[in-house]
Amino acid sequence: MTPRALSVRVARKHIEAVDICSFELVSADGGALPAFAAGSHIDVGLSNGLTRQYSLCNDPTENHRYVIGVLKDPASRGGSRAMHEQVHEGNLLLISPPKNHFPLCDGVRRARAPRHVPDATRAGRQRLLRSFFCTAKCMISLTF
């Protein structure tokens, strides 16, 4: 993790489905977390020395928490397995500030809505679903 790493506490771990857990992360000091946009992800530092990226899946207007979902991959090289088996409520983690390599909008209302054609990969579908939080605020036209 970089010097800009954020210390967060696992406030809630919830089994969503077979091999899928969600993690609610809050600031370790109780303060607000940095803002993020739909489609953002964080790097999560794990106790086994690995760093893994997970997409934020909560509403970007929430600054009191980040929510990530983790699929326990049967071919895991240690990241998803560690998240499922070693990370528990109350644990402290180091994470990066949110990053967004595929921004959908800049949060500014637009007179003429831009058009976005999402890709059909798994990551593209995940970004698209999270990005629906942003569509009304940015007045974006999505084309399928």
Side-chain angles (χ1 to χ4, degrees):
M1 278 290 126
T2 67
R4 295 182 19 174
L6 307 170
S7 180
V8 295
R9 181 177 51 80
V10 179
R12 184 169 184 252
K13 177 180 178 181
H14 184 261
I15 298 171
E16 301 292 342
V18 174
D19 290 335
I20 300 175
C21 284
S22 64
F23 296 83
E24 181 178 336
L25 310 174
V26 298
S27 176
D29 66 9
L33 293 165
F36 70 96
S40 296
H41 71 277
I42 55 173
D43 297 339
V44 177
L46 301 169
S47 61
N48 59 8
L50 295 175
T51 299
R52 293 294 185 258
Q53 294 74 41
Y54 295 104
S55 297
L56 296 172
C57 56
N58 56 305
D59 185 336
T61 63
E62 297 178 335
N63 67 356
H64 66 287
R65 69 180 186 150
Y66 294 149
V67 178
I68 59 174
V70 180
L71 169 66
K72 185 177 180 182
D73 187 342
S76 173
R77 293 173 295 148
S80 66
R81 185 180 315 116
M83 288 294 292
H84 276 256
E85 297 173 4
Q86 298 171 9
V87 176
H88 305 286
E89 290 182 8
N91 287 164
L92 294 177
L93 298 172
L94 288 178
I95 65 169
S96 70
K99 304 172 190 178
N100 192 343
H101 300 297
F102 306 98
L104 182 62
C105 68
D106 59 10
V108 177
R109 291 185 158 281
R110 303 170 193 274
R112 188 164 184 263
R115 292 173 54 107
H116 292 272
V117 180
D119 63 64
T121 64
R122 183 173 105 181
R125 290 189 307 268
Q126 290 171 341
R127 281 193 302 275
L128 175 65
L129 290 174
R130 284 186 307 280
S131 296
F132 280 122
F133 284 122
C134 184
T135 57
K137 292 178 185 171
C138 296
M139 296 172 24
I140 291 175
S141 161
L142 293 173
T143 303
F144 293 93

